[in-house]
Amino acid sequence: MGHLDIKQNIRNCGISLNHWYVVASSVEVKNQPLGVTLWYENIVLFRNSKGDIQALEDRCPHRQVKLSDGQIVSDDVECAYHGWRFNGDGNCSFVPYLSQKQKLPKCQLKRYQVKEFDGFIWLFAGDGDSENIKPMGLPEWEHLNYICSVTTIDCPGHFSFLIENLMDMYHGHLHDNYQAWADASLKEITATENRIDVLYDAQSYYRIDKIWSISQLFFPALRRLHSEPLTVSYVYPHWSSTLGKDFKIYCLFCPINETTTKAYLIHFTSLEAFWRLHKLPVSFRRFVKNSLFNTAKSLLDGLVRQDVAMIKQEQESFLNNPFRRSYELNPAIAKVQKLILTQGSDFSSSC
């Protein structure tokens, strides 16, 4: 067995902030401010009167309490403590007890670039060229031929553990009845500056080629193994995968700190095989898509629960003995770790 030497301590490595991260789903940001954290930076998200997302550092400069504990007044976020308000540009816009002789304090909160599309809030926290750095996006989100399911991953571990889990398809036997694939065999690895693509041959438990095929998601006895290509891609800082032509999965990352990772797992089931369905009115097809939303959520939840249990043990083992040797046989993992270290090296002195 080969020893995977991690001299640069990947389990403490930071993230590159010059990428678009997903910090919340659109449905999470409603009529109240929402506090989120991206790699130690506390951020408050809120909507203005037009429904546009605003993002500021989550602190009131008066007493340094969280603005996310406050409320939205018109287009501003109001601190719960003394009622100071801040607009979307991060400027103080109102102090309720300001006297006629006093001026508004010239405090400036950090303002983050945000975009809302494909059902999520994408945030850019770095100082790079955000216009030329494109978010991954989810092209299947609005596509009428794809049924979507979403679950949240609250992972008690460094984000590298979760990425390695997603890229290593040899752990399939962990998942019991939640299994989507079996007998993975690595065939090809392609690495570039910002991504790793890995191709496996695998046995799939699902084939969506008839209307009743979707029932396989709920009844394991209906599943039949057949050979399918299985691809997994780490497109820094997110992940995607395809299983044959029927399934596409994304994992959108929001690393919180060195021992905590939040992510969103999005599963798409393709209806491309049903050509008669494509001829039906758009309104009906959208009704079908919306009605079947989250039909695979219980499957995703089961997969996540089992994976997180393993990652929790990995993180605990590392914290107990960070210098213990780890042995690895999948060459894709070394490629992934190199990419993480390369991207994060400019933003963390520990890696």
Side-chain angles (χ1 to χ4, degrees):
M1 291 190 293
H3 172 224
L4 185 60
D5 186 9
I6 313 176
K7 294 180 180 178
Q8 293 173 288
N9 205 349
I10 191 171
R11 308 310 178 191
N12 294 324
C13 188
I15 66 172
S16 169
L17 295 176
N18 285 329
H19 291 273
W20 290 92
Y21 291 86
V22 167
V23 293
S25 65
S26 291
V27 296
E28 290 179 281
V29 190
K30 300 177 181 177
N31 300 321
Q32 295 296 319
L34 176 69
V36 298
T37 303
L38 174 63
W39 202 252
Y40 294 96
E41 295 194 32
N42 294 322
I43 302 163
V44 58
L45 305 176
F46 62 100
R47 295 186 185 275
N48 62 20
S49 57
K50 296 180 180 180
D52 298 328
I53 292 290
Q54 311 292 309
L56 303 173
E57 57 180 307
D58 192 7
R59 68 174 184 89
C60 177
H62 177 214
R63 295 290 179 87
Q64 312 304 320
V65 301
K66 289 187 175 182
L67 289 172
S68 57
D69 288 337
Q71 62 180 343
I72 305 304
V73 180
S74 298
D75 285 349
D76 300 342
V77 58
E78 181 183 82
C79 180
Y81 201 176
H82 290 84
W84 289 31
R85 296 178 192 169
F86 299 86
N87 60 29
D89 292 327
N91 299 316
C92 182
S93 59
F94 178 74
V95 176
Y97 51 86
L98 193 73
S99 71
Q100 292 182 346
K101 296 182 180 180
Q102 291 178 309
K103 296 181 180 180
L104 287 172
K106 295 182 179 181
C107 41
Q108 177 69 52
L109 295 175
K110 181 177 180 179
R111 182 174 182 266
Y112 295 87
Q113 299 178 73
V114 287
K115 295 182 179 183
E116 181 178 16
F117 64 95
D118 292 344
F120 292 91
I121 311 301
W122 304 74
L123 184 140
F124 192 94
D127 56 5
D129 187 356
S130 62
E131 292 302 317
N132 289 323
I133 300 174
K134 304 299 182 184
M136 173 180 274
L138 306 174
E140 297 85 0
W141 185 265
E142 294 290 344
H143 200 297
L144 296 179
N145 292 347
Y146 289 88
I147 305 303
C148 180
S149 297
V150 180
T151 195
T152 303
I153 303 175
D154 293 309
C155 182
H158 188 268
F159 70 93
S160 63
F161 285 121
L162 181 54
I163 283 292
E164 290 173 21
N165 168 274
L166 293 166
M167 294 296 289
D168 185 1
M169 292 295 101
Y170 291 131
H171 78 279
H173 69 280
L174 168 69
H175 294 306
D176 301 328
N177 287 336
Y178 303 113
Q179 179 86 306
W181 78 97
D183 299 329
S185 175
L186 194 153
K187 296 300 179 182
E188 184 179 344
I189 303 174
T190 304
T192 63
E193 182 180 359
N194 294 314
R195 65 184 294 161
I196 308 293
D197 297 287
V198 183
L199 170 65
Y200 294 87
D201 278 345
Q203 295 293 311
S204 172
Y205 281 85
Y206 305 99
R207 175 171 283 159
I208 307 300
D209 55 355
K210 299 179 177 61
I211 290 294
W212 58 264
S213 300
I214 297 177
S215 62
Q216 297 171 91
L217 299 174
F218 312 101
F219 303 104
L222 298 177
R223 302 169 191 167
R224 296 292 183 271
L225 283 172
H226 62 282
S227 180
E228 292 280 15
L230 171 60
T231 68
V232 289
S233 299
Y234 184 27
V235 187
Y236 192 95
H238 305 297
W239 174 89
S240 67
S241 175
T242 61
L243 180 59
K245 297 180 179 180
D246 295 330
F247 301 102
K248 184 74 177 282
I249 307 176
Y250 296 86
C251 191
L252 307 178
F253 276 72
C254 180
I256 293 175
N257 54 44
E258 292 178 357
T259 59
T260 312
T261 302
K262 181 180 180 180
Y264 294 89
L265 193 64
I266 305 102
H267 179 284
F268 292 101
T269 301
S270 172
L271 301 181
E272 293 280 0
F274 308 129
W275 60 270
R276 290 186 177 87
L277 180 65
H278 306 164
K279 296 185 176 182
L280 296 175
V282 169
S283 58
F284 177 76
R285 292 170 64 194
R286 186 165 297 281
F287 169 77
V288 171
K289 178 182 176 74
N290 294 339
S291 298
L292 294 176
F293 179 76
N294 264 349
T295 51
K297 188 176 187 304
S298 61
L299 175 69
L300 297 183
D301 288 343
L303 290 167
V304 167
R305 187 165 52 248
Q306 292 174 337
D307 282 336
V308 166
M310 296 295 102
I311 294 171
K312 180 181 179 181
Q313 292 183 43
E314 289 184 281
Q315 181 66 56
E316 290 173 347
S317 177
F318 171 76
L319 292 175
N320 289 333
N321 190 345
F323 301 105
R324 179 180 291 152
R325 287 189 173 187
S326 295
Y327 294 84
E328 181 58 65
L329 293 177
N330 187 340
I333 302 306
K335 299 283 188 182
V336 167
Q337 292 179 341
K338 181 179 179 181
L339 176 55
I340 291 173
L341 290 167
T342 300
Q343 287 285 341
S345 59
D346 292 337
F347 293 87
S348 174
S349 60
S350 62
C351 68

